[in-house]
Amino acid sequence: MDPVWTYAAAVLSGALVALLLTLFGGGGSVLATPLLLYVVGLRDAHVAIGTSAAAVAVNAAAGLAAQAKAGRVKWPCALTFGGPGLVGSLLGAQVAKTLPAQHLLAWFALAMALVGLSMLRAPRSPGDPDVRIDPAKAMRLAPIGLMTGFAAGFFGIGGGFLIAPGLMAATGMTLANAAASSLVSVTLFGAATSASYAASGLVDWPVFLALVAGGGLGVLAGARLAPLMAGRVLLARRLFAGMIVLTAAYVAWRAVG
């Protein structure tokens, strides 16, 4: 493939993923690996997962900075969730590296489908914007964080689609606070997963840099679009969820074909 197209496609892919991460706090990262495989042109699924995890970590950190500036991040809850999840993500990445690429992609397609279906559901209640951490909430957050981190590391995704609902279920925080706070764990899990893959030589660093460059553009666009979408978030999530399910079907078809 033409190197110019490879890096241009990586920039555009990074912009799209970062835009979706900033707007929804999750779900966007699950598109990174398919984009690297089928648009950018990477041939090894393990390299695509390792590279996407590294870029997602950086882009999520940028999105986190924007959300923190807006005061939407519930730091005590987010860190209580993210600490155990960091351990889980390292374990998940180690297991995933032992699987054949085609088997890993088949599991990845299943995870994508679950992401899309989970995003179709509306939150049951608006939540508490003034939520505070306490021992009972901490006891609920830690095991959910550990399991979510394992899934994020295994599939090489940020895991925001699991993190935000987990935060809401364990603490009762609002969707907006959960989406913002989930970026703490997306950053931690992506960094841990990519470090594991990098240690095995499974990160394409030039493509990573192109993804990060595009991600900066996506974060800026997301910060501008977020206020405009305030009244249409659920509709946008459902349209995005449909796109993820269709992409999952394509990944599954390529994995078994």
Side-chain angles (χ1 to χ4, degrees):
M1 183 175 287
D2 183 355
V4 174
W5 165 251
T6 295
Y7 297 123
V11 169
L12 293 174
S13 298
L16 176 61
V17 169
L19 170 65
L20 296 171
L21 270 172
T22 303
L23 291 177
F24 302 116
S29 61
V30 81
L31 292 175
T33 293
L35 286 169
L36 286 176
L37 288 171
Y38 308 126
V39 177
V40 178
L42 296 186
R43 298 185 180 277
D44 187 325
H46 291 99
V47 173
I49 287 174
T51 304
S52 68
V56 163
V58 174
N59 292 339
L64 174 61
Q67 294 283 13
K69 185 177 180 180
R72 300 188 186 101
V73 180
K74 298 293 184 180
W75 288 101
C77 294
L79 292 173
T80 303
F81 188 100
L86 182 63
V87 176
S89 63
L90 289 170
L91 294 173
Q94 197 62 34
V95 173
K97 288 188 294 183
T98 67
L99 294 180
Q102 293 305 103
H103 292 178
L104 186 57
L105 281 178
W107 282 106
F108 188 86
L110 175 61
M112 286 194 72
L114 293 175
V115 171
L117 293 174
S118 73
M119 293 184 72
L120 289 172
R121 292 172 36 181
R124 294 179 182 178
S125 66
D128 178 10
D130 298 316
V131 67
R132 296 288 186 273
I133 192 72
D134 59 41
K137 290 185 177 68
M139 290 296 291
R140 293 195 294 267
L141 284 167
I144 297 174
L146 179 66
M147 292 185 289
T148 302
F150 182 88
F154 182 83
F155 295 114
I157 56 180
F161 74 99
L162 290 172
I163 298 164
L167 287 169
M168 292 176 71
T171 67
M173 69 174 62
T174 67
L175 176 61
N177 289 138
S181 300
S182 72
L183 291 173
V184 174
S185 290
V186 173
T187 302
L188 290 174
F189 299 170
T193 301
S194 61
S196 178
Y197 276 82
S200 300
L202 296 172
V203 174
D204 187 319
W205 292 111
V207 170
F208 159 76
L209 292 174
L211 286 171
V212 170
L217 300 176
V219 168
L220 291 175
R224 290 182 176 274
L225 286 175
L228 302 178
M229 287 182 54
R232 304 180 182 87
V233 171
L234 289 179
L235 174 61
R237 282 175 64 87
R238 286 169 176 162
L239 292 173
F240 176 38
M243 181 177 68
I244 288 177
V245 171
L246 290 175
T247 306
Y250 179 76
V251 172
W253 175 71
R254 290 292 296 263
V256 302

